[in-house]
């Protein structure tokens, strides 16, 4: 939601910030292409299945942000999950 609110429809800026936040670096050209495809595919899916987007956004403690459409927020969530599962992402607990 934060990425969507900060960058709106600018997918390149959203991807850049997501990479910096999760991996502390910018994506290379191939990585950018892959995550753009992931986001685009997920956005199309969530637009066709809005109930799935709403269900995904109910997971966790933060409430869904009404200013960000659910399909866009859900697609960004999947993108962020993919980056956080990247081997280069280190999360301390």
């Amino acid at each position: 939601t934060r990425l969507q609110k900060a960058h709106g429809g600018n997918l390149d800026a959203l991807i850049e910030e997501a990479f910096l936040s999760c991996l502390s670096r910018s994506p290379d050209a191939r990585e950018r292409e892959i995550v753009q495809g992931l986001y685009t595919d997920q956005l199309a899916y969530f637009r066709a299945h809005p109930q799935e987007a709403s269900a995904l956004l109910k997971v966790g403690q933060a409430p869904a942000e009404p200013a960000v459409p659910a399909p866009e927020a859900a697609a960004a969530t999947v993108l962020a999950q993919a980056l956080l599962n990247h081997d280069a992402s280190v999360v301390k607990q």
Side-chain angles (χ1 to χ4, degrees):
T1 299
R2 181 181 59 80
L3 291 171
Q4 281 292 348
K5 285 178 71 174
H7 302 292
N10 188 339
L11 182 55
D12 284 333
L14 186 147
I15 289 170
E16 183 72 24
E17 185 175 341
F19 259 80
L20 289 172
S21 295
C22 296
L23 305 178
S24 299
R25 64 176 177 82
S26 294
D28 64 29
R30 180 69 179 132
E31 290 169 329
R32 185 177 298 276
E33 181 183 330
I34 291 168
V35 295
Q36 282 175 338
L38 173 65
Y39 179 88
T40 302
D41 290 347
Q42 292 299 303
L43 183 57
Y45 175 82
F46 287 125
R47 283 183 174 160
H49 303 91
Q51 69 283 4
E52 296 291 329
S54 295
L56 175 61
L57 297 174
K58 288 180 183 175
V59 175
Q61 297 177 355
E65 174 63 50
V68 178
E72 283 80 354
T77 298
V78 172
L79 187 148
Q81 288 173 332
L83 293 179
L84 288 170
N85 283 317
H86 192 288
D87 289 342
S89 178
V90 177
V91 179
K92 293 183 179 181
Q93 293 186 358

